[in-house]
Amino acid sequence: MTLGKYLRLLVTTDAGVAALAADRVYTEVLPQSPALPAVVFTEVAGGEDYALDGPTGAGTRRVQVDAWAKTRAEATALGAALSAALSGHDGAAGGLVVEGVFLLDERWDFDPATGLYRTGQDYEVWVAGESP
């Protein structure tokens, strides 16, 4: 299982996120004219973990998670639900082991081109198992 599939499964089955975004969880790009609120995941960086004797089999991925909505209140509520579901999470599925998910930072903005509000969060995800 890829990290993107794992994270999508995690947030779409979380009651708090599902109550706000249902299954509107996308990878990298928000569709044109989307139903809102919605979530977009983007894997932005990554690396493998090494010890003195070589690779440990673990790695990190930096994932940007954006909550998009028509109002600031909706974007903020969805961001809070995402943080509750993701921050501190560990688990496994489909051969992928997620050793920990850690919230690094959060930001809020408005996109004048689309007229949408966004709560953006960056997470560090420690993984082992299949290639994320």
Side-chain angles (χ1 to χ4, degrees):
M1 174 175 287
T2 66
L3 179 58
K5 288 180 182 178
Y6 182 96
L7 293 173
R8 186 178 196 289
L9 176 65
L10 177 62
V11 300
T12 57
T13 58
D14 178 80
V17 175
L20 299 170
D23 66 344
R24 296 181 301 273
V25 178
Y26 307 101
T27 303
E28 295 185 6
V29 178
L30 191 64
Q32 190 171 6
S33 304
L36 296 170
V39 177
V40 176
F41 283 100
T42 306
E43 210 171 312
V44 295
E48 302 306 313
D49 187 48
Y50 290 89
L52 291 175
D53 59 349
T56 67
T60 61
R61 298 292 180 266
R62 187 171 182 135
V63 178
Q64 180 178 321
V65 181
D66 294 313
W68 291 95
K70 293 179 183 178
T71 69
R72 164 60 45 224
E74 288 177 324
T76 301
L78 181 52
L82 286 162
S83 179
L86 294 170
S87 191
H89 172 80
D90 62 28
L96 180 70
V97 177
V98 174
E99 297 173 334
V101 179
F102 308 98
L103 179 63
L104 299 175
D105 59 47
E106 187 171 40
R107 64 207 156 276
W108 305 267
D109 63 7
F110 175 77
D111 182 2
T114 61
L116 299 178
Y117 291 86
R118 177 176 71 112
T119 296
Q121 300 168 336
D122 290 338
Y123 290 89
E124 183 174 73
V125 182
W126 279 85
V127 295
E130 290 184 13
S131 176

